[in-house]
Amino acid sequence: MALAESFGEPGMRTWAETLATDLAKALAEPRPCVVVLPAVLRLFAATHPDSD
């Protein structure tokens, strides 16, 4: 969000419970708006281990 705001663009942090409302607000903006939805990525195990 700080990066967007450094360019004078609005930014907001949202959560799953308020995503629909915050996304509607962002889409109503007449200019670009950054919406940040924090998430924890759980990646799968490597399928091609290094062959060192």
Side-chain angles (χ1 to χ4, degrees):
M1 290 185 328
L3 182 60
E5 291 169 354
S6 73
F7 286 97
E9 300 301 333
M12 66 178 73
R13 181 180 307 261
T14 189
W15 306 100
E17 300 81 21
T18 59
L19 179 60
T21 302
D22 291 338
L23 192 55
K25 288 178 189 175
L27 291 172
E29 287 283 330
R31 58 187 192 181
C33 181
V34 175
V35 178
V36 177
L37 177 64
V40 175
L41 299 178
R42 291 184 174 81
L43 301 177
F44 51 85
T47 58
H48 301 307
D50 293 331
S51 58
D52 290 319

